[in-house]
Amino acid sequence: MNKLQNIQRIHQMFKTRRRWLTIANFCDDLKLPQEKVTDLIDQMQRYLKAPIEYSDSENAYRYTEGAINGYRLPDFWLTPDEIICLTKLNHSLNNLCEGLLSEEFEQFYGPIQDALRSRKINSHQFNNRVKYFPKSHQQTFDDHFSTVCSALLERRQLSITYQDSRTETSAHTLCPQLLVHRNDSWMLEAWCHMHRSLRSFSIARIEQAEMLKERSREIAQKNLDIYFDNRYGLNQQRPQLLVLKFNADAAYEVASQCWHFEQSGVWQDDSYVLTLPLIDEENLVKKVLQYLPSVEVVAPESFQQHIRQILTQALERHEKSATACNSPSEMSESKIVKAISSNTVAPTGDAQKLKQA
């Protein structure tokens, strides 16, 4: 029997026998080891809200007397995390481009459908009614991505032309070390010959890529692990804390999100104060900007200044654009019409066509 059938059998035993049942009773009936049975009972309590109580004196379990007649197993046997996982799998499989492994990937559909069917869920309705939309999607050019992957796995150096966030283009020779998928975008962590250090490069910003014959520089795995932990916030020692205060417009939405596994949050009236390690600052800046003007950076001051600088630059660009749009043209429309009618200037372009009409 599979896990769901075992749970149904445990439920049936609780409902029909109506007495204290030991782990040994379940082991004999299900032909399972003690650890498996204990795990099943724990999952029934946590995920299916089964009214199971334990007696120290009896060293046994049973359904509580008040709920034994009213409780039934739920029809929908999926946790929120399982729903997220299944929808992401469906999304990924449905959006795979045609490739050499397309037929092999199709084989993953069967187990997904079986998992839904075993939980008495209509797979057609699930796929049509439950949708997954990534927060963002960066375009990744297949030819560049393939070149980067080949250089990474074959341990060859890589020559790229790269456009940074300021739209400035530069050439780099890299020794690829890690390929990371984070926040719906691909990042290449590589040793950069120009900077003589490990640097991060967004695959979507690579304009040209060529795998070279030279062997890639090897960096000790221990040093790579330290770099990766510091770069992406895993196991970092005493990181600086970022404190954000969200007003009522965004507080409830942010309170339900997980920005970092070590975050904490407290309510202050209608506001929500989120505290988390200041790691991967570029990604945190993007998140904060999404919630303006409903968020206030409480600390640290350096992050406040960073956000202020970005907003100041954006305002300056906006003012320059507005000034350019509002600047008077060399000749207004009324002057053009007057000039055409009086033949004081030689009409050109659209004005010539207007006069002929």
Side-chain angles (χ1 to χ4, degrees), residues 257-270:
Q257 298 177 356
C258 180
W259 288 29
H260 191 276
F261 63 92
E262 291 184 352
Q263 73 182 41
S264 61
V266 294
W267 287 94
Q268 294 182 359
D269 297 326
D270 291 335

Side-chain angles (χ1 to χ4, degrees), residues 53-65:
E53 62 177 345
Y54 174 76
S55 170
D56 289 327
S57 59
E58 300 286 343
N59 191 24
Y61 299 85
R62 71 176 182 182
Y63 275 173
T64 58
E65 293 186 4

Side-chain angles (χ1 to χ4, degrees), residues 96-110:
L96 282 173
C97 61
E98 292 294 330
L100 297 177
L101 295 178
S102 57
E103 294 183 1
E104 282 80 356
F105 280 126
E106 288 180 359
Q107 299 177 10
F108 288 102
Y109 282 105

Side-chain angles (χ1 to χ4, degrees), residues 227-246:
Y227 170 81
F228 186 82
D229 291 348
N230 292 334
R231 176 72 176 86
Y232 293 99
L234 304 175
N235 304 324
Q236 190 177 38
Q237 298 297 321
R238 297 182 181 179
Q240 193 174 18
L241 294 180
L242 174 64
V243 183
L244 304 171
K245 185 176 183 179
F246 297 85

